[in-house]
Amino acid sequence: MRFVIKGPNRLQGAIKVSGAKNAALPILAATLLCDGVSVIEGVPRLNDVDVMCEVMKPLGVECRWQNENILVDTTKIRLEEISEKLMRRMRASCLVLGPLLARFGHVKISQPGGCNIGSRPIDLHLKGLRALGAEITERSGYLIAKSNRLKGAEIHLDVPSVGATENLIMAAVFAEGTTVIRNAAKEPEIVDLQNFLNRAGGRIRGAGTPTIRIDEVKSLVGPKGHRVISDRIEAGTHIIAAALSGGDVVVQNVIPEHVEPLLAKLREAGVGIELHGDTVRIWREGGIKAVDIRTMPYPGFPTDLQAQMCVLLAVAEGTSVVTETVFENRFKHIPELRRMGVDIYIEGRTVVIRGVEKLSGAHVEAPDLRAGAALVLAGLIAENSTVVDNIEHIDRGYEALEEKYQTLGASIERVS
Ligand code: EPZ
């Protein structure tokens, strides 16, 4: 499957952001802790969401779509092994580890796979689970975690890992006494997970800050209608696309505070930005100024927008320096962008980008989700036509991306 894009395009009009993939996935895993039916609203129709439902099905958990909502029924939940094939397809499947351990005291999963953006171990997840009293053995690619009673503990994370913070919150909800997670990740998706669990009867405080407290409860009941927050990374991708194209675009269903790290940088680059409630209007007043970027955990500049930002800086006036501090090799978009005329080179975890006048269309391949999105953005503004292959990666994180850009007047088609 591929996108064929004819450029350059000036984007005009309004598009609406979908629900957040990275909020929906941990919340789906959290339904494993809840009795009865959970109703999650505003869930994006993404492959990764379907994979998470596939992972839970063999456990006797029923996931059913109802328009843009997912109903998850755990009435018949039973302990089963998680399919290795599915675990390898998506790293976020490891988020079932905490809930299953909390609920059954036993879980066997294979080492996670997922996006190829670095080693991405789950050592911090396991270290935290051991602190809660779990006995974890790793054998030939499998993990077996056991505990007849998890006990609350003080856990200090070496790095503010999003997944480890989420897994440990879920593992701790039934643990004896109180658990404190320090140096926790502060991403908005963790606040959404806390809100979901507290609506189910959990007693969690501090999400969004470095210290999260989880007090023991005996059980949770599925909430009937938790709406996931809007996707700040999808919103940021469209905001960058609008700035790139030199058009005038309104992006709707945005939580401004969640995209503030990006907006601050775009203002520095001379991009016009107007906020009205949950909409952001973007236009260009002149050229784009070169700016330097360092990706950091939230509320720093998000690593998930680094590749897209490289495209904007590729056509800026001047030289920019982009440092990726979160993942060790998240530069797979660079060789493909070079083929489109981007003047860029890598020095370790930093890239130096010299702005050029314009990009030229080419036949490129999406290496992973966000690098793929960056190639689409490059194709939107490049002269002539661009073909982006392997767009299955892009479908993991963007709902009908080509339709959204078609409504803004772009010439982009999905071709099998
Ligand atoms: C989440 O991944 C997101 N995925 C990623 O989005 C995002 O890039 C990342 O957080 C950082 O914001 C989901 O929420 C499903 P981490 P996660 O644990 O939880 C190291 C996208 O494009 N680390 O915060 O896997 C790790 O190697 C995806 O939507 C350990 O060393 O990220 C990495 O360098 C891509 N040991 C850093 O921490 C651990 O046990 C951040 O990883 C865990 C992580």
Side-chain angles (χ1 to χ4, degrees), residues 286-340:
I288 296 161
K289 297 189 194 71
V291 293
D292 294 343
I293 303 281
R294 265 178 84 76
T295 65
M296 294 296 277
Y298 191 87
F301 190 91
T303 171
D304 293 348
L305 289 176
Q306 178 255 111
Q308 300 90 315
M309 199 65 188
C310 286
V311 182
L312 185 73
L313 299 175
V315 290
E317 288 151 7
T319 298
S320 308
V321 176
V322 177
T323 305
E324 171 56 60
T325 73
V326 177
F327 288 104
E328 66 267 17
N329 75 338
R330 201 171 192 177
F331 290 138
K332 290 193 163 41
H333 45 293
I334 306 262
E336 301 298 307
L337 288 177
R338 273 208 198 96
R339 301 182 53 230
M340 299 178 74

Side-chain angles (χ1 to χ4, degrees), residues 21-22 25 91-92 117 120-125 159-163 187 303-304 326-328 330 369-370:
K21 162 176 88 82
N22 292 350
L25 294 176
R91 172 181 163 78
I117 50 176
R120 307 184 67 188
I122 57 168
D123 56 321
L124 300 178
H125 300 232
V159 299
S161 152
V162 173
E187 273 68 6
T303 171
D304 293 348
V326 177
F327 288 104
E328 66 267 17
R330 201 171 192 177
L369 165 55
R370 304 302 175 185

Side-chain angles (χ1 to χ4, degrees), residues 5-318:
I5 309 166
K6 292 205 174 12
N9 298 272
R10 277 175 67 90
L11 304 179
Q12 302 278 351
I15 45 171
K16 192 167 179 301
V17 174
S18 304
K21 162 176 88 82
N22 292 350
L25 294 176
I27 286 173
L28 279 167
T31 62
L32 297 174
L33 293 161
C34 302
D35 295 334
V37 176
S38 299
V39 181
I40 309 164
E41 296 177 353
V43 180
R45 291 233 170 216
L46 299 171
N47 295 1
D48 273 12
V49 169
D50 293 334
V51 171
M52 187 57 96
C53 294
E54 285 295 300
V55 165
M56 302 200 296
K57 208 166 275 175
L59 303 169
V61 176
E62 281 161 43
C63 290
R64 197 159 41 84
W65 281 99
Q66 204 174 59
N67 302 323
E68 52 156 24
N69 304 342
I70 285 195
L71 277 63
V72 182
D73 186 348
T74 61
T75 313
K76 302 193 193 74
I77 191 168
R78 62 179 183 277
L79 186 57
E80 279 296 338
E81 205 176 290
I82 303 292
S83 119
E84 176 175 350
K85 190 166 66 64
L86 286 170
M87 278 303 292
R88 294 201 176 292
R89 258 178 69 188
M90 181 179 71
R91 172 181 163 78
S93 324
C94 72
L95 291 173
V96 301
L97 200 52
L100 290 179
L101 192 60
R103 187 164 192 144
F104 293 111
H106 183 285
V107 53
K108 179 180 178 187
I109 65 166
S110 69
Q111 293 275 8
C115 258
N116 51 3
I117 50 176
S119 56
R120 307 184 67 188
I122 57 168
D123 56 321
L124 300 178
H125 300 232
L126 304 182
K127 197 169 141 189
L129 293 175
R130 288 188 172 109
L132 291 168
E135 196 193 298
I136 299 175
T137 45
E138 301 178 56
R139 197 175 322 121
S140 58
Y142 267 92
L143 289 170
I144 297 163
K146 279 195 201 115
S147 148
N148 42 31
R149 186 85 175 90
L150 291 174
K151 269 175 70 59
E154 290 260 337
I155 300 167
H156 190 104
L157 292 177
D158 301 11
V159 299
S161 152
V162 173
T165 303
E166 291 165 344
N167 237 336
L168 295 172
I169 288 173
M170 294 188 280
V173 287
F174 302 142
E176 214 172 299
T178 295
T179 297
V180 180
I181 304 173
R182 298 191 192 289
N183 195 25
K186 305 192 284 286
E187 273 68 6
E189 292 76 26
I190 293 168
V191 178
D192 207 22
L193 175 64
Q194 169 181 280
N195 293 342
F196 173 82
L197 286 168
N198 286 346
R199 286 186 62 170
R203 287 171 54 209
I204 305 160
R205 287 161 290 160
T209 77
T211 306
I212 300 176
R213 282 178 202 293
I214 303 106
D215 290 324
E216 174 190 355
V217 294
K218 292 294 170 228
S219 66
L220 297 178
V221 176
K224 303 290 179 289
H226 176 87
R227 176 163 289 274
V228 297
I229 54 173
S230 93
D231 193 318
R232 63 191 168 94
I233 303 303
E234 183 199 345
T237 304
H238 301 333
I239 289 168
I240 294 172
L244 256 175
S245 79
D248 189 326
V249 174
V250 170
V251 181
Q252 299 162 331
N253 190 34
V254 178
I255 301 171
E257 179 202 343
H258 293 174
V259 293
E260 188 48 38
L262 169 67
L263 300 184
K265 268 298 160 186
L266 291 180
R267 286 192 193 96
E268 213 183 300
V271 174
I273 290 167
E274 229 169 53
L275 292 172
H276 298 283
D278 74 346
T279 69
V280 182
R281 180 180 159 240
I282 305 101
W283 72 94
R284 270 267 287 288
E285 273 155 352
I288 296 161
K289 297 189 194 71
V291 293
D292 294 343
I293 303 281
R294 265 178 84 76
T295 65
M296 294 296 277
Y298 191 87
F301 190 91
T303 171
D304 293 348
L305 289 176
Q306 178 255 111
Q308 300 90 315
M309 199 65 188
C310 286
V311 182
L312 185 73
L313 299 175
V315 290
E317 288 151 7

